[in-house]
């Protein structure tokens, strides 16, 4: 009996085809690689920048006292903001002696003719302030000399001798250095043009000058105050 493939079942043909393909290709394994996720870059940390501190502007609020003797040597104090160590002070172009302490500048005036003088303050960083007519020079005889004055002898040697003197009716009546007191004078010691001097035995015992309403300077040479300079303030 003759058979024909044309009469075969479609299902049988598909199974046979799949078998042939399997035998020809062998086992096939498919590996699926997941996509790589890019790594985020590290965050950018900005550098730490210290805050900018603006410089303190130089400003002068006071000069005390602002009146002194034409003979100079008046101690005065500059106060304000922005003053620095090494500040230079000039009075009418003359550089004066200064000391910087506690944010203030202590100075000693030079001799000068009577009248108003400009004061120029210059910091080491170059900042400058000009105080027009800030200090006035006057003849020393305009000051009131009378009263009790107290201060210290020269302390360059590390000692602190207390110096006191009294002036009544423009006459020196008493001088003391620590426990040594001089109250008897061979002749009245008058204060003239802001100055006084007493000499005994060829050596000056005491001399001084009134340099402002509240300050005096001089030299003393008796007791433990042997040949020292002094400065005093009126009580």
């Amino acid at each position: 009996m003759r058979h024909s493939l044309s009469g075969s079942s479609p299902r049988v043909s598909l199974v046979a085809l799949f078998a042939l393909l399997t035998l020809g290709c062998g086992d096939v394994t498919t590996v699926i690689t997941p996509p790589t996720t890019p790594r985020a870059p590290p965050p950018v940390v900005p550098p730490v920048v210290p805050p900018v501190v603006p410089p303190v502007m130089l400003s002068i609020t006071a000069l005390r006292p602002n009146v002194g003797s034409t003979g100079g040597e008046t101690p005065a104090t500059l106060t304000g903001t922005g003053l620095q160590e090494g500040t230079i002070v000039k009075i009418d172009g003359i550089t004066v002696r200064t000391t910087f302490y506690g944010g203030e500048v202590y100075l000693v005036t030079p001799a000068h003719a009577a009248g108003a003088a400009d004061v120029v303050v210059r910091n080491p960083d170059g900042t400058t302030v000009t105080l027009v007519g800030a200090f006035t020079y006057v003849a020393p005889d305009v000051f009131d000399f009378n009263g009790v004055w107290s201060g210290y002898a020269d302390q360059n040697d590390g000692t602190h001798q207390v110096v006191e003197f009294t002036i009544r009716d423009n006459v020196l009546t008493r001088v003391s250095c620590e426990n040594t007191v001089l109250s008897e004078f061979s002749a009245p010691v008058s204060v003239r043009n802001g100055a006084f001097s007493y000499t005994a035995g060829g050596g000056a015992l005491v001399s001084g000058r009134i340099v402002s309403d509240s300050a005096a300077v001089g030299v003393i040479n008796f007791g433990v105050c042997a040949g020292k300079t002094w400065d005093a303030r009126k009580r």
Side-chain angles (χ1 to χ4, degrees), residues 3-214:
H3 298 279
S4 174
L5 290 176
S6 59
S8 301
S9 169
R11 179 179 180 85
V12 174
S13 299
L14 289 175
V15 170
L17 179 61
F18 180 78
L20 291 173
L21 291 173
T22 302
L23 290 175
C25 298
D27 296 332
V28 177
T29 303
T30 302
V31 178
I32 300 175
T33 304
T36 303
T37 303
R39 180 177 296 179
V44 177
V45 179
V48 178
V49 179
V52 177
V53 179
V56 179
M57 297 301 295
L58 177 61
S59 174
I60 305 302
T61 56
L63 172 62
R64 299 189 184 92
N66 58 1
V67 177
S69 170
T70 53
E73 296 298 316
T74 301
T77 304
L78 274 171
T79 58
T81 58
L83 289 165
Q84 301 172 359
E85 182 77 41
T87 294
I88 296 174
V89 179
K90 293 185 178 182
I91 298 180
D92 198 17
I94 304 172
T95 302
V96 305
R97 304 196 313 266
T98 60
T99 301
F100 180 82
Y101 181 77
E104 298 179 330
V105 173
Y106 299 86
L107 60 94
V108 179
T109 64
H112 192 279
D118 295 348
V119 178
V120 177
V121 184
R122 181 182 177 86
N123 270 341
D125 62 6
T127 54
T128 304
V129 169
T130 299
L131 309 172
V132 179
F135 192 85
T136 301
Y137 283 92
V138 297
D141 56 5
V142 305
F143 302 128
D144 180 14
F145 312 137
N146 298 295
V148 178
W149 302 73
S150 180
Y152 294 95
D154 180 34
Q155 301 176 34
N156 290 334
D157 61 359
T159 59
H160 305 270
Q161 286 86 29
V162 176
V163 174
E164 291 186 346
F165 63 92
T166 303
I167 298 175
R168 290 197 181 99
D169 299 324
N170 294 340
V171 174
L172 185 67
T173 61
R174 182 181 184 275
V175 179
S176 68
C177 171
E178 294 291 347
N179 297 323
T180 304
V181 179
L182 179 64
S183 58
E184 294 182 1
F185 303 93
S186 57
V189 182
S190 299
V191 181
R192 294 184 178 137
N193 199 31
F196 59 86
S197 180
Y198 176 72
T199 304
L205 286 178
V206 62
S207 64
R209 291 191 305 114
I210 311 300
V211 295
S212 75
D213 276 330
S214 60

